Amino acid sequence: MLQRMLGAKGPATSALGLGCMGMSDMYGPSDRAESIATLHAAVDAGVVLLDTGDFYGMGHNEMLIGDALADAGFTRSHKRDDVQISVKFGAQRDPAGNWIGFDARPSAVKNALSYTLRRLRVDYIDIYRPARLDPNVPIEDTVGAIADMVKAGYVRHIGLSEVGSDTLRRAAAVHPIVDLQIEYSLISRGLERDILPTCRELGIAITAYGVLSRGLISGHWSKEQGGGADFRAHSPRFQGDNLDHNLALVEELRRVAAEKGVTVAQIAIAWVLAQGQDIVPLIGARRRDRLAESLGALDVTLTSADLAAIERAVPKDSAAGDRYNAHAMASLDSER
């Protein structure tokens, strides 16, 4: 497995990480046994970074990962230190799963961390981060509380998620920030304007989620999919004329991928990998076949001609619809 650094002051990690959210939440039903098998297959393949959130399935995802890491088949060949667990916190949900707020107060940071450690059955978290900026709490207070947990040995590194340049600078003045988790794909390139240059100036890596835009540019999505508990049914890019437009972009990308002899998903992931050694894509596979396909992106080398062809197929800002609904977009510090 190729490796990349998580920032100037962070650890080495695998060139691809595994985003585990879909194993518990947001994308409809998943298979527990297949999820655990996929986690094991990822680590066996050299994927070090496992990304989760304490609100994914209201704790279910953390417990699932904990079970996978404690499984006898895993412990025979791996140790806790063979993986890096990245955890987001702060989002609040009610028993029905509705989103009801955000809390990143220092007391909430330490309380959430204590539950996360218990659910994962580990002694420390490798990277701990607020999932969003809490508008009611200075970022200095939130990062300071995590820094306390670093000093106490419960957290190794501090990350952030979906914040803008000003917040990055203020946070980094309190404690080193190893990475910013933010959506980045061929059709979500807003961070290139200001946030990515700021991260590079400050020595902060990017862990890119949504590299396949939640399956939209995977080459596997069709108009008949979605609905029910799948939150993509309410995502602007998956609706009406927007979906027709975006799937037409995918077909253009499919032609480029076919000429290269790779799949659409592989060329889309390879494009993100090619944007810099300080970028680590998170692949959201919840099945072993999708994992294997995504890992194949590591074998794809894109030439300047390939990158130009991809840009012609999917020009910057060519997607129709925002990446979240209006309410969610308004809450993103990274979009201000």
Side-chain angles (χ1 to χ4, degrees), residues 12 23 110 123 144 171 180 183 189 197 204 238 249 257 268 284 286 303 315-316 320:
M23 297 176 180
K110 297 172 183 180
D123 297 325
L180 171 67
E183 186 168 355
R189 297 172 61 178
I204 298 172
F238 287 82
L249 293 176
R286 21 180 214 169
T303 66
K316 187 174 182 177

Side-chain angles (χ1 to χ4, degrees), residues 14-306:
S14 48
L16 291 178
L18 181 65
C20 302
M21 179 186 75
M23 297 176 180
S24 300
D25 209 359
M26 308 304 289
Y27 295 153
S30 61
D31 182 273
R32 173 184 171 79
E34 182 62 24
S35 294
I36 290 177
T38 301
L39 280 159
H40 289 169
V43 179
D44 288 343
V47 174
V48 170
L49 186 62
L50 306 179
D51 183 75
T52 184
D54 63 11
F55 48 91
Y56 292 167
M58 289 80 87
H60 178 275
N61 202 237
E62 290 180 324
M63 291 188 287
L64 179 75
I65 293 171
D67 288 346
L69 298 184
D71 182 85
F74 181 86
T75 57
R76 278 196 295 270
S77 54
H78 298 287
K79 308 184 300 295
R80 160 68 180 92
D81 289 346
D82 290 343
V83 298
Q84 295 163 340
I85 304 174
S86 168
V87 179
K88 293 180 290 296
F89 69 90
Q92 297 177 311
R93 304 178 74 174
D94 68 16
N98 300 308
W99 305 96
I100 57 174
F102 197 87
D103 192 352
R105 293 172 299 157
S107 59
V109 170
K110 297 172 183 180
N111 180 70
L113 176 60
S114 67
Y115 283 86
T116 280
L117 291 167
R118 181 62 62 91
R119 285 190 290 259
L120 283 163
R121 288 180 272 168
V122 297
D123 297 325
Y124 65 91
I125 301 303
D126 296 273
I127 308 143
Y128 202 53
R129 73 185 80 238
R132 297 289 186 267
L133 177 66
D134 187 334
N136 301 311
V137 180
I139 191 62
E140 292 87 350
D141 292 355
T142 301
V143 170
I146 307 175
D148 289 342
M149 298 295 93
V150 173
K151 292 176 185 175
Y154 296 116
V155 172
R156 293 279 173 88
H157 304 282
I158 302 178
L160 293 172
S161 178
E162 288 288 359
V163 299
S165 291
D166 178 64
T167 301
L168 284 166
R169 294 184 190 281
R170 290 167 53 197
V174 176
H175 189 279
I177 305 298
V178 297
D179 72 318
L180 171 67
Q181 191 172 118
I182 191 168
E183 186 168 355
Y184 191 31
S185 73
L186 272 167
I187 62 172
S188 296
R189 297 172 61 178
L191 83 165
E192 293 176 347
R193 289 188 291 272
D194 178 63
I195 293 173
L196 182 55
T198 299
C199 284
R200 287 176 168 162
E201 174 192 337
L202 297 174
I204 298 172
I206 297 290
T207 44
Y209 76 87
V211 293
L212 296 178
S213 196
R214 299 167 182 83
L216 179 59
I217 60 171
S218 67
H220 301 296
W221 192 262
S222 70
K223 292 184 67 174
E224 291 71 35
Q225 292 174 265
D230 194 319
F231 95 106
R232 289 171 290 196
H234 309 287
S235 173
R237 289 184 174 174
F238 287 82
Q239 295 177 335
D241 292 342
N242 287 349
L243 180 58
D244 291 334
H245 173 87
N246 294 330
L247 289 179
L249 293 176
V250 174
E251 291 311 305
E252 292 299 316
L253 185 61
R254 194 185 304 276
R255 280 190 271 274
V256 179
E259 291 179 6
K260 190 75 176 172
V262 299
T263 70
V264 176
Q266 287 168 342
I267 205 166
I269 296 168
W271 181 89
V272 178
L273 283 165
Q275 302 313 300
Q277 289 294 313
D278 53 352
I279 298 173
V280 177
L282 298 173
I283 53 176
R286 21 180 214 169
R287 295 184 349 222
R288 283 168 287 180
D289 58 338
R290 293 285 195 256
L291 172 68
E293 179 184 19
S294 295
L295 291 173
L298 294 168
D299 298 322
V300 179
T301 300
L302 298 178
T303 66
S304 57
D306 293 331

